[in-house]
Amino acid sequence: MDETANAWRRESPGNAGWPRSARPGAANKYFMVSADCHANEPNDFLAKRIDPKLAHRLPRVEVDEKGERWQITEGYRPSRIRFKRPLEGEDGLRNASGATPEERLRDMEADGVDAEIIFPNKGLSIWATPAPEFAMACCRCWNDWAWETFGPYNDRMSPMACLATGDLEGSIAEVQRAAKLGFRGLTLPSKPIFSPHDARQPNYNLPMFDPLWAAIQDTGLPMTFHVSTGRDPRAAKGNGGAVINYVSHSLAPTIEPLANLCASGVFERFPKLRFATIEAGIGWVAWALAAMDEAYKKHHMWVQPKLGGLPSDYFRTHGMASFQEDEPGLRDAQAHDLAGNFMWANDYPHHEGTWPHSAAAIERTMGFLTDGERAQILGLNAARFFGFEVPEGMA
């Protein structure tokens, strides 16, 4: 079943006529940076580092009076643990890969990736709590583990330092600590407080976050917003729930921080800030920019503050977005002059990604781009955004 279900991943029209190649080992290979990969943390990375007073709040398994086992995480609804047949073949490989830097380097070479940006995997649960100080304590644990593990490899494998922005004071201190350690960037939750929408809670359009933006701007580090970090993405169950949750409750909410920043004057006050949406795809970006501009112009009687440009101008100057496989978005890159704002990623080792068949996915979706556009999107944009050195001759 696994090999049949994944056969499409290997399909490719080839790369005839391309001046360069995405194939690993090619003499004329593009410089490729995966702007979104994931760690494979040990199960105890939080328990070994958290303040013992907070240990009882960590994600855990509980058994009810009927003997049923439940996964408990503060911000998620409890989920019953059912026995499932272990995944086989490629699907099983994706679940198990990336546990050590050495293993990652091997898999990077085999997929043609020269450098990668690393986000939490099990650690995505660090934001799944409405308690910002607890979330910040978990973020510090992940940052400690990530730097201990990947810091020596930071020229090629760069973890993002996690912030729980509901804890403003704690986040500012962690920004400064991360910069001193040598992190290349920061990752913030899509909403400061993990919960359903509530206008009474703070959000990134409000001036209360100006001290955080000032601290980030002072470091020069870019900030990222990864999918599934603002609220529980598992809002549907059964009857297509896996698809519904992915599209509607994981990817789509990542528009929110983009709109918050671009519509509120943040970039006029902090002109050196840079941000990226991560793993949410790019096919929606041109529409979102047009929708923000339409709202700004047509709702002028209500919009505050008045901006020096259109909301879309701030994304074009300050924003980026990553994707795995998104041909409609790549066509928008040409049609709407966004090739300089998009970053490819293989999402290693997740099922949503293109590893270990990234070259085939690139050939399926990027044949109509120019060589320069492919070079930008496959690696040069991410190298500029995250500060990787591009080898001579590969620019």
Side-chain angles (χ1 to χ4, degrees):
M1 174 61 181
D2 167 76
E3 297 308 312
T4 302
N6 284 303
W8 66 273
R9 294 179 182 268
R10 302 174 180 83
E11 296 173 0
S12 168
N15 59 6
W18 292 25
R20 287 180 275 186
S21 173
R23 292 281 167 177
N28 58 344
K29 194 182 78 67
Y30 291 101
F31 181 69
M32 292 168 56
V33 178
S34 176
D36 171 43
C37 295
H38 290 269
N40 193 347
E41 309 95 332
N43 291 329
D44 62 354
F45 83 97
L46 283 175
K48 288 178 65 173
R49 292 169 177 82
I50 199 74
D51 184 332
K53 296 176 183 176
L54 299 173
H56 68 284
R57 301 179 65 175
L58 293 177
R60 62 197 179 276
V61 174
E62 293 185 358
V63 181
D64 66 17
E65 65 279 1
K66 297 179 181 178
E68 299 282 2
R69 300 171 73 237
W70 295 82
Q71 176 67 40
I72 305 297
T73 302
E74 280 199 3
Y76 293 155
R77 58 177 171 80
S79 58
R80 189 167 59 161
I81 300 173
R82 296 177 173 88
F83 176 78
K84 295 181 180 179
R85 180 175 59 87
L87 295 175
E88 300 174 347
E90 279 189 21
D91 294 330
L93 185 66
R94 290 188 180 91
N95 278 356
S97 296
T100 68
E102 294 76 16
E103 183 181 349
R104 300 182 75 92
L105 285 170
R106 182 198 68 203
D107 290 343
M108 289 167 66
E109 295 286 350
D111 210 37
V113 174
D114 297 287
E116 67 175 7
I117 296 298
I118 302 173
F119 292 90
N121 184 24
K122 297 179 182 75
L124 287 174
S125 66
I126 61 181
W127 289 291
T129 171
E133 290 80 12
F134 174 51
M136 192 66 244
C138 292
C139 283
R140 283 190 289 269
C141 292
W142 195 89
N143 296 343
D144 288 343
W145 172 84
W147 194 251
E148 291 166 10
T149 304
F150 300 113
Y153 302 86
N154 198 34
D155 59 330
R156 295 192 64 188
M157 291 181 285
S158 294
M160 295 289 97
C162 298
L163 305 178
T165 47
D167 178 3
L168 194 55
E169 184 177 338
S171 290
I172 292 170
E174 194 65 2
V175 167
Q176 296 163 347
R177 186 174 81 101
K180 289 178 181 177
L181 285 170
F183 280 91
R184 290 185 187 273
L186 310 162
T187 190
L188 290 61
S190 293
K191 293 192 338 358
I193 306 295
F194 190 92
S195 68
H197 290 296
D198 187 341
R200 295 168 295 181
Q201 292 178 345
N203 218 325
Y204 297 126
N205 60 311
L206 300 178
M208 65 176 289
F209 287 98
D210 281 2
L212 177 61
W213 308 143
I216 295 174
Q217 179 172 261
D218 285 347
T219 68
L221 296 178
M223 54 186 181
T224 62
F225 299 92
H226 196 280
V227 296
S228 300
T229 57
R231 61 180 188 263
D232 190 345
R234 300 170 306 160
K237 60 180 180 179
N239 301 295
V243 176
I244 297 163
N245 288 335
Y246 181 65
V247 174
S248 301
H249 306 296
S250 179
L251 304 188
T254 318
I255 298 173
E256 186 173 359
L258 181 153
N260 270 286
L261 294 172
C262 292
S264 64
V266 166
F267 296 115
E268 293 188 350
R269 300 192 298 278
F270 303 97
K272 295 182 181 179
L273 275 185
R274 297 171 296 140
F275 79 100
T277 61
I278 300 295
E279 204 181 316
I282 55 175
W284 54 271
V285 173
W287 166 81
L289 302 188
M292 288 193 299
D293 290 354
E294 178 185 25
Y296 184 77
K297 290 184 285 189
K298 292 181 177 177
H299 296 174
H300 63 89
M301 66 289 289
W302 298 304
V303 171
Q304 293 292 339
K306 305 304 180 188
L307 304 174
L310 292 171
S312 65
D313 296 332
Y314 300 105
F315 177 82
R316 291 179 178 278
T317 302
H318 301 270
M320 304 285 273
S322 86
F323 70 100
Q324 298 87 254
E325 223 173 328
D326 192 337
E327 183 177 342
L330 290 168
R331 293 196 180 276
D332 281 347
Q334 287 189 323
H336 298 277
D337 191 24
L338 289 166
N341 298 95
F342 292 160
M343 303 184 293
W344 170 81
N346 69 356
D347 194 27
Y348 172 87
H350 282 179
H351 300 274
E352 298 90 340
T354 59
W355 176 80
H357 307 294
S358 291
I362 289 164
E363 290 161 359
R364 281 197 302 272
T365 57
M366 297 192 186
F368 57 88
L369 296 176
T370 67
D371 181 65
E373 289 166 341
R374 279 194 293 269
Q376 278 186 288
I377 291 168
L378 285 174
L380 299 184
N381 288 341
R384 168 172 49 88
F385 188 73
F386 292 109
F388 287 108
E389 183 176 349
V390 181
E392 187 174 352
M394 297 188 79

